[in-house]
Amino acid sequence: MLEFSRPAWLGLLIGVALMGVACDAWSGITGKISGVVVDEHDAPIFVVAIELVELPHLALTKQDGSYEILNVPPGTYGVRFQRLGFETVLVQNVVVSSDNTTKINTKMVLDVLEMDEIVVRAQTPPVVLDQTSTQTNLSAEEIEDLPVQELEDVVNLQAGVVDGHFRGGRIGEVQFQVDGVSVNNPFDNKSSLRLDRSILQEVQIISGTFDAEYGQAMSGVVNAVLKDGTREFEWNAEVITGTYLFPGHAERLLNDTIRPGGIQNYQLSLSGPLPIPDTVFLVSGRRNSTDSHIYGERRFVPTDESNFETREFVPTGDGAEVPLGFTEEWSGVVKLTNRSWVNSRASYQAVVNSIDSRAPNFAFRFNPDGLSTQETFSIAHGLDWTQTLSNTTFIDFSARQNYFRYRDVRYEDPFDSRYDDAGRPVADDAYELGAIVQGVSLNRFEQTTDSYLVKTVLRSQVTPAHLVRFGGEFQVSQVQFGTPGHLTFVTDTNEEGNTVELLDRKFDEPPDFLAVSEYHPRVAAAFVQDRIELPDITVRAGLRLDYFDSRATLPSDLRNPANAIDGAPASFPVSASSKWAVSPRLGVAYPILSHAAVHFAYGHFRQFPPLRDIFTNADYSVLERLQAGRDPGVLGNPDVKPEKTVQYEIGYKQLVSDDLGIDVTAFYKDIRDLVGVEFITTYTGAEYARLTNVDFGNVLGITFSLDHRRLGPLRVSLDYTWQQALGNSSDPRETATRAEVGEDPRPRLLPFNWDQRHTLNTTLSLAHSEAYSMGAILRVASGQPYTPLTGLGGYGNGLVTNSDRKPFGWLVDLRAERRIKAKGARLGLFARVFNLFDTRYFNGPVFASTGSADYSRLPNDATALLDPTRFYPPRRLEVGIRIAPGGDK
């Protein structure tokens, strides 16, 4: 398990201490409830007191009967309307979503006789007519009924999302947030956390255009809102065990033995009040252990020695079957919330992941102990504060630390003698098609990011029609990555005159053996956003200003970057310039009927490239040997500009009935200034490649969504996406790779690797809240592109990039639960089946000579044909039990 740095521990302790002393922390994106209260003659009623049953939120109606309740955390509430002389009305099941307005218009009647409170049950419409872009909000109850385990599983079910790519964009173009604050790792622009479904109150997924409050993203936003503590003590627990189950499928090239207990998941959550006044807590922990479905045999150990000249192999392993890969995870959440100060709410929260894993590598199937292991530790924690300045104005403040550490090594210490004893991995083609029979993996890579982020937002309902947000954020990061000790083997002669291999360790010997590098970039932003809600139109308009400073240097003269050319002008280090970007955003929703609306959205979205791309191989001193013909590879560039996407979206929504809604949306993305490769010529005519803003692309698509809330106890939702994602390269270094193999490196427009033209997701759920629930997900996807081999027998050299398509694939996942009330407890017995029909192929790798995952026309693919890792994971069966207090006494 990885330890984390003193600053991370110190921040954690300070946060807990501060909570103990005083305050209250609030974080996250909230929603709004508004509407009009009228009497039985439709005349507005003045000074109606409106309160949320579950929270201390109050409001009064104005002269026109209108009201607004701001800063409402997402969830399901009861709203009570009271006024002297009128009967009290309680509206139940009012669902509030992040960054949305829930409309509750109420009619009150005169209180002629003493009567009980009138109870009305609100219904959430299947489509929201005043949304100006494509947005999905999933509540904890909806997530609970799906066959999913983590946030990533939920995201990949949304329209326009393909394996983490939002609407055709590259990986790393999505902003992941926890309670409204980024948890992205600037090293690769991916989320630094894995979030279990048990801690999610709501998930907000914006796959289209988004407001100016969100930055450092070009394709989408995912905001995970965590659950809060409760006023009464509550607890719940969950235990899951499972296994892979695929009998009779010899085509998978695997032993189909059932191994019970290979999957285990344990979760416990506690919440309730603390002795500190008006303070509640939430503590949740999870333990997950998963073995790979691919097993190896410990036939050899890393220190075995075989005679490769005579091909005598001497295995000394114990022959045990062991999982070739595994994941061991501990994760948890601590959240403290306090309301003791007047008109304020504060919280401290910490989300922690600690993961040890090993990625399966089929070459090590007889020497599994030689594989390296991956260790990840991450924590996102900090203080959040909301101060109410008036009934219509409040301010949010967040201060967070996002710490992430990743390490891929076999042994932590580069001087570990086991490296010397085992040596490098060695295989022989004559033994089991090249299986590795001795040695250990020499992978050594580590990456650490320590980011401190401050964000503040002022929100004000300046008029009944205008909700204005103004704010900014600042982030400073310490990013380290590289090889903590390079391990190479050199040949030498021993005392007997025999040639032997000796391990040579290199640490900081530029330019070939660089030490772990460290960088300190800074990012800042400011924004203003106005949501205008008029009876006939909703407008969201905003403007964002982004700032980035890599705080790095590069050569002043790129034609003599290492001062290695005699007589050429001298080059010296100069600081990379600071970058600024302005991004306007606009969205409009216009109701054309009482039950139908059209929307349009347009926006500029800027994102600074991953630090991994701009800083890898960014030491230009390697070019001193360019004149000798040594290829330095693609150089990084700390002076790149932000990447840019301009998005357009137009859509139509209609409520066919109270339970049935449809949404049709067309979108287009113009993508510019992506990081790609340019070639620079020195004064002597030599060429080298470096990253800069030259790549481009475009995406065109349409989505169709249908949501039927009730067909008896059945609910059906369906979304279909057709899209075309084209560009000049799928990877920043692709152009240089083409040039190296003699292909034409000039830009051309071809399908991206993830250009999946047709995607269909269908969800069926059958539920009775007190007795049972069942859910099924069907996913159908057309084939993504691949590059075929042309010529007789597949041996030609006329490669046409991404000019053919893989086969289509489909998957079905199920979940069923039986709920039981026992004495003092509520039980849920459930089962989940992933990949119900044991689909072997779902947009995985194929052989370039055939376009199939099952066969190849090339003899050198013989080893790959035996590799089961190319297939989609087999059927997985899990059973579990959930328990919580309650039930019959």
Side-chain angles (χ1 to χ4, degrees), residues 89-214:
V89 177
L90 173 63
V91 182
Q92 296 180 332
N93 197 42
V94 176
V95 178
V96 177
S97 299
S98 302
D99 206 24
N100 278 330
T101 298
T102 300
K103 297 288 183 67
I104 302 295
N105 296 323
T106 305
K107 180 172 290 189
M108 302 180 71
V109 299
L110 292 173
D111 188 8
V112 181
L113 301 173
E114 287 194 13
M115 298 181 63
D116 294 334
E117 184 176 67
I118 298 175
V119 179
V120 180
R121 186 174 178 84
Q123 291 186 350
T124 304
V127 293
V128 181
L129 297 180
D130 62 355
Q131 280 186 353
T132 61
S133 64
T134 302
Q135 176 178 318
T136 300
N137 292 72
L138 292 171
S139 66
E141 293 76 18
E142 291 172 314
I143 295 171
E144 188 176 277
D145 290 335
L146 295 175
V148 296
Q149 185 61 48
E150 297 182 352
L151 175 63
E152 181 183 2
D153 303 327
V154 177
V155 172
N156 280 323
L157 290 176
Q158 306 311 308
V161 180
V162 176
D163 299 331
H165 299 269
F166 277 49
R167 287 190 174 176
R170 286 177 174 175
I171 287 288
E173 294 184 358
V174 178
Q175 176 72 236
F176 284 87
Q177 300 185 339
V178 171
D179 285 345
V181 181
S182 172
V183 292
N184 276 25
N185 182 355
F187 172 74
D188 56 9
N189 283 344
K190 297 179 182 178
S191 175
S192 61
L193 295 174
R194 292 173 58 173
L195 298 176
D196 185 67
R197 62 186 175 87
S198 62
I199 62 174
L200 300 175
Q201 176 63 37
E202 183 186 61
V203 175
Q204 177 191 30
I205 304 167
I206 308 175
S207 56
T209 58
F210 41 89
D211 288 350
E213 183 172 347
Y214 307 109

Side-chain angles (χ1 to χ4, degrees), residues 658-680:
D658 291 341
D659 300 316
L660 176 61
I662 60 172
D663 183 339
V664 181
T665 298
F667 58 88
Y668 177 77
K669 296 169 64 173
D670 182 36
I671 309 168
R672 301 288 171 178
D673 294 333
L674 290 177
V675 171
V677 169
E678 68 173 348
F679 294 92
I680 296 178

Side-chain angles (χ1 to χ4, degrees), residues 435-468:
I436 292 172
V437 297
Q438 67 183 51
V440 297
S441 171
L442 301 181
N443 290 348
R444 293 193 61 80
F445 177 78
E446 69 176 35
Q447 193 276 306
T448 304
T449 298
D450 196 4
S451 295
Y452 292 86
L453 187 151
V454 175
K455 179 178 180 178
T456 184
V457 182
L458 176 70
R459 308 170 195 265
S460 181
Q461 190 78 46
V462 293
T463 72
H466 290 266
L467 176 59
V468 177

Side-chain angles (χ1 to χ4, degrees), residues 3 27 100 111 177 185 222 231 313 363 397 449 607 610 622 631 634 663 666 685 693 734 748 814 817 857 886:
E3 74 283 356
S27 59
N100 278 330
D111 188 8
Q177 300 185 339
N185 182 355
V222 176
R231 297 180 181 180
F313 304 98
F397 173 81
T449 298
Q607 181 176 5
V622 298
D631 183 7
V634 179
D663 183 339
N693 302 93
E734 183 179 314
R748 73 274 194 263
L814 295 177
E817 179 173 2
R857 295 186 292 170

Side-chain angles (χ1 to χ4, degrees), residues 530-564:
D530 187 11
R531 178 181 175 114
I532 307 168
E533 296 177 316
L534 299 172
D536 296 328
I537 195 171
T538 298
V539 179
R540 301 177 83 131
L543 188 68
R544 183 179 181 88
L545 174 66
D546 286 291
Y547 165 84
F548 175 76
D549 185 0
S550 67
R551 303 183 70 195
T553 62
L554 68 162
S556 60
D557 190 342
L558 295 177
R559 300 187 64 188
N560 183 25
N563 284 323

Side-chain angles (χ1 to χ4, degrees), residues 36 120 130 149-150 164 196 259 332 426 497 606 644 756 802 863:
V36 177
V120 180
D130 62 355
Q149 185 61 48
E150 297 182 352
D196 185 67
R259 306 176 191 272
V426 182
R606 311 272 186 155
K644 176 183 177 181
Q756 187 168 290
N802 285 350
T863 300

Side-chain angles (χ1 to χ4, degrees), residues 458-531:
L458 176 70
R459 308 170 195 265
S460 181
Q461 190 78 46
V462 293
T463 72
H466 290 266
L467 176 59
V468 177
R469 289 174 288 168
F470 173 80
E473 56 188 301
F474 176 76
Q475 177 175 314
V476 59
S477 301
Q478 175 184 317
V479 179
Q480 299 173 316
F481 68 94
T483 302
H486 301 258
L487 304 181
T488 61
F489 279 85
V490 296
T491 57
D492 200 357
T493 304
N494 62 15
E495 296 178 356
E496 290 78 21
N498 298 322
T499 299
V500 295
E501 282 192 337
L502 298 177
L503 181 59
D504 190 19
R505 296 169 170 88
K506 305 286 188 180
F507 289 92
D508 190 10
E509 300 181 17
D512 293 321
F513 304 102
L514 299 177
V516 174
S517 302
E518 182 174 314
Y519 304 92
H520 300 85
R522 291 177 178 173
V523 178
F527 68 88
V528 60
Q529 181 76 37
D530 187 11
R531 178 181 175 114

